[in-house]
Amino acid sequence: MKQLNISELKKIAEREMRASGFIIENPPQVEQEISEIKSGDLKIDAGVLDLRHLLWSSIDNESSRDLDQIEYAEQLANGDIKILVGIADVDEFAPKNSAIDEYAAKNTVTVYTEGEIFPMLPSELSTDATSLLPNVDRFAVVAEMTVCENGDVCDARFYRALTHNYAKLTYERIGAWLDESADEPEIFQSIEGLREQIILQREAAMRLYKLRREKGALEFETVESSAVKSDGKIVDLESVLPNQAQLIIENFMIATNVETAEFLESKRVASIRRVVKTPARWRGIREIAQKYGVDLPETPDAPALSAFLEARRKADAVHFPDLSLSVIKLLGAGEYVVQTTDDEPDGHFGLAVKEYAHSTAPNRRYADLIVQRLLKSAIENQPSPYSIDELKSIAAQCNERESAARKIERLMRKLVAASVMQNRVGQTFQAIVTGITASGTFA
C-alpha cells in the first residue's frame, strides 16, 4: 500500500459514503431553502428570553465550527451552582418536513473522516446559521439546572432563549491549563470573569461526576489518535488524551440529556431515547474480571463493574485502555429506541441512569434534532409533532445509518494508520494483543 495524501483519502471517503447510501451533495430543493435563510434576522418571539448579557462560552475541538453547545455557571448563596447549557436551535432553520429536514433524515449523522467531514446538515447551517459561533447572536434551547453540593440536580427547567457566545475555547488549550501543564489562556485577560466562569463550571462538573461514579457509572479510557498533517499529507499519528476541559462538557452533556428525558417523561411525551441495554454478554465480562482475581455478581451489576474498572485503572494505568476496549466490546453498542409514557425505560447501563435522551448535538445527530422538536413543543404545552410510528421509523433509520457511519470511520482510520506505517517498515514496537480470531490478530 502506498502512502496516501489527504486528497486521495477524500476520494476514498466519498466513494465509501456513496456506496453506503449516504447523500453527500445538497439536492436542488435544499439549495433553494439555504438561499432563503437569513441567519442575522433574529426576532424574539413571546416566550423567548433574552440572555445575551450572560457570559456564555463554548469548549470544543480547535477545528470545530459546528458548535452545538454553550455554557454558563452561577454560584448561588446556599452553595448550589446553577448551570445553563444552551443547545443550538437547529429547528429554527430546519423545520419539520422542510427539504433540509428531509435531507438530514436520510443521513441522520455527521460522518467524520481524516480526509473529509460529511455534515448531516448543509454546512451553511451546521457551521454558520445554526452554529453557536463566537461573537454572534443565536437562538438556543436552554437547560437550566441547579447542581447541589452532593452532585444531585435538585431543580431543572427548559426554555428558549437568544444567546451570545463570547468565547470559543478549545479542549486542547483549556484542558492543558486546567491540568496545570500550560499557562493561563490569554483570552482570560481580554474577557473579564471568563477565568472564574471556567473554574466554577469545573466545580459543577466535578460534583456531577462524583455522584455519577457513586451510582455506578462506568468510566473507560480508550486511546484515540489524530492525524498529523503536513503539505497535504498525513505524516504521523498522535494520541489524543482526555483532560479536565472534556470532563466539563461531558458531564454537562450527560446531565442535560438525563434532565431532558425526565422532562419529556413528566410531560408524558413519547420520545427517542439512547439506551445501552443490560449486557447479554455479562458472562464474558465476569471471565475478564476473574483473570484479575475478582468475582463479579452473576447478574449484571453496574456499580460492581465500575468498582472493578477503577481498581484496575489504579493498579495498571498503562494497560487500562486495553481492558476498557475489551469490556466495551462485550457491553455492546448503544441504540435508539422509542420510549412511550407507559413503558418501563431500558436505561443506559454504562451511565447507570434510567432516563437518557440524546439532545445536545442537533447539528450532528438527527435524533437530537427530533428530541429538540419534542422539547420545544413540550415547553409550549403543544401536542407532540410526531406519532409513535413516526418516532419508531426515525429511530430505526438512525440506528442503521449510525452503524454505516461507524464502518466508514473505522475503515478510514485503518487506512490512515496503514499509510503512516509505510514509513515504519522494519522498526520494532511493543504492543498489546487484544484478540485473536480466524481473520487475524488484533494488537
Side-chain angles (χ1 to χ4, degrees), residues 79-81 83 145-155 203-215 251 255 259:
D80 296 344
I81 301 174
I83 58 174
M145 299 169 283
T146 301
V147 182
C148 298
E149 292 192 62
N150 67 355
D152 187 33
V153 177
C154 43
D155 184 48
E203 169 61 25
M206 287 303 301
R207 292 182 182 185
L208 293 166
Y209 171 77
K210 289 178 180 177
L211 183 60
R212 290 201 305 110
R213 294 304 308 278
E214 290 172 8
K215 290 183 176 181
N251 283 277
E259 295 304 321

Side-chain angles (χ1 to χ4, degrees), residues 35-86:
S35 69
E36 297 171 357
I37 289 175
K38 298 179 180 179
S39 60
D41 186 20
L42 302 178
K43 297 180 180 179
I44 300 180
D45 299 326
V48 177
L49 302 182
D50 189 346
L51 299 183
R52 288 175 291 181
H53 62 285
L54 299 181
L55 185 51
W56 296 96
S57 62
S58 63
I59 309 179
D60 212 312
N61 293 313
E62 188 164 359
S63 60
S64 295
R65 285 189 56 82
D66 51 348
L67 305 182
D68 286 296
Q69 181 176 319
I70 52 176
E71 303 80 36
Y72 170 78
E74 179 181 334
Q75 180 70 65
L76 302 181
N78 65 353
D80 296 344
I81 301 174
K82 181 165 65 177
I83 58 174
L84 275 63
V85 177

Side-chain angles (χ1 to χ4, degrees), residues 26 34 48 54 70 101 121 224 266 271 301 304 308 336 407:
N26 294 338
I34 290 172
V48 177
L54 299 181
I70 52 176
D101 177 49
L121 291 169
E224 297 185 6
S266 71
S271 64
D301 187 313
F308 163 68
Y336 294 108
K407 291 178 181 178

Side-chain angles (χ1 to χ4, degrees), residues 42-329:
L42 302 178
K43 297 180 180 179
I44 300 180
D45 299 326
V48 177
L49 302 182
D50 189 346
L51 299 183
R52 288 175 291 181
H53 62 285
L54 299 181
L55 185 51
W56 296 96
S57 62
S58 63
I59 309 179
D60 212 312
N61 293 313
E62 188 164 359
S63 60
S64 295
R65 285 189 56 82
D66 51 348
L67 305 182
D68 286 296
Q69 181 176 319
I70 52 176
E71 303 80 36
Y72 170 78
E74 179 181 334
Q75 180 70 65
L76 302 181
N78 65 353
D80 296 344
I81 301 174
K82 181 165 65 177
I83 58 174
L84 275 63
V85 177
I87 307 301
D89 190 348
V90 174
D91 176 62
E92 179 72 17
F93 294 105
K96 182 186 178 185
N97 296 329
S98 63
I100 292 173
D101 177 49
E102 291 175 359
Y103 169 75
K106 292 176 181 176
N107 287 349
T108 79
V109 67
T110 294
V111 182
Y112 294 89
T113 75
E114 295 294 355
E116 178 98 358
I117 295 174
F118 301 92
M120 177 191 78
L121 291 169
S123 58
E124 292 86 349
L125 270 72
S126 61
T127 64
D128 188 5
T130 60
S131 178
L132 297 174
L133 297 170
N135 304 316
V136 292
D137 297 341
R138 289 288 187 265
F139 283 123
V141 179
V142 176
E144 179 184 305
M145 299 169 283
T146 301
V147 182
C148 298
E149 292 192 62
N150 67 355
D152 187 33
V153 177
C154 43
D155 184 48
R157 67 189 186 109
F158 294 84
Y159 48 81
R160 296 178 62 213
L162 185 60
T163 64
H164 186 99
N165 183 358
Y166 288 89
K168 179 185 182 294
L169 307 175
T170 67
Y171 290 130
E172 298 87 345
R173 190 69 185 89
I174 297 300
W177 169 64
L178 290 174
D179 292 338
E180 300 182 348
S181 60
D183 294 334
E184 182 175 293
E186 294 181 3
I187 194 171
F188 289 171
Q189 302 301 317
S190 58
I191 302 180
E192 183 179 356
L194 184 58
R195 181 183 187 277
E196 291 73 19
Q197 261 294 307
I198 300 305
I199 292 174
L200 186 59
Q201 288 180 24
R202 178 177 61 176
E203 169 61 25
M206 287 303 301
R207 292 182 182 185
L208 293 166
Y209 171 77
K210 289 178 180 177
L211 183 60
R212 290 201 305 110
R213 294 304 308 278
E214 290 172 8
K215 290 183 176 181
L218 306 181
E219 183 173 12
F220 298 105
E221 183 178 320
T222 56
V223 178
E224 297 185 6
S225 61
S226 177
V228 179
K229 303 173 184 178
S230 177
D231 297 326
K233 296 181 180 180
I234 295 178
V235 296
D236 206 349
L237 294 172
E238 60 182 6
S239 297
V240 179
L241 301 177
N243 58 49
Q244 291 189 54
Q246 291 170 320
L247 183 143
I248 292 173
I249 301 306
E250 177 183 332
N251 283 277
F252 283 11
M253 176 195 72
I254 292 172
T256 301
N257 287 339
V258 170
E259 295 304 321
T260 295
E262 292 183 350
F263 176 77
L264 292 174
E265 179 74 16
S266 71
K267 292 287 189 176
R268 298 193 62 77
V269 175
S271 64
I272 294 178
R273 300 292 176 87
R274 182 67 172 181
V275 306
V276 173
K277 296 180 180 179
T278 301
R281 292 183 286 179
W282 179 252
R283 179 180 177 181
I285 295 174
R286 292 189 72 222
E287 289 174 353
I288 289 176
Q290 287 168 354
K291 293 178 182 178
Y292 296 96
V294 176
D295 286 322
L296 294 176
E298 292 187 5
T299 57
D301 187 313
L305 178 56
S306 178
F308 163 68
L309 291 170
E310 181 59 24
R312 291 312 308 164
R313 180 198 299 275
K314 293 179 179 178
D316 188 358
V318 173
H319 295 140
F320 183 71
D322 307 298
L323 173 64
S324 293
L325 183 59
S326 298
V327 174
I328 288 170
K329 288 181 177 179

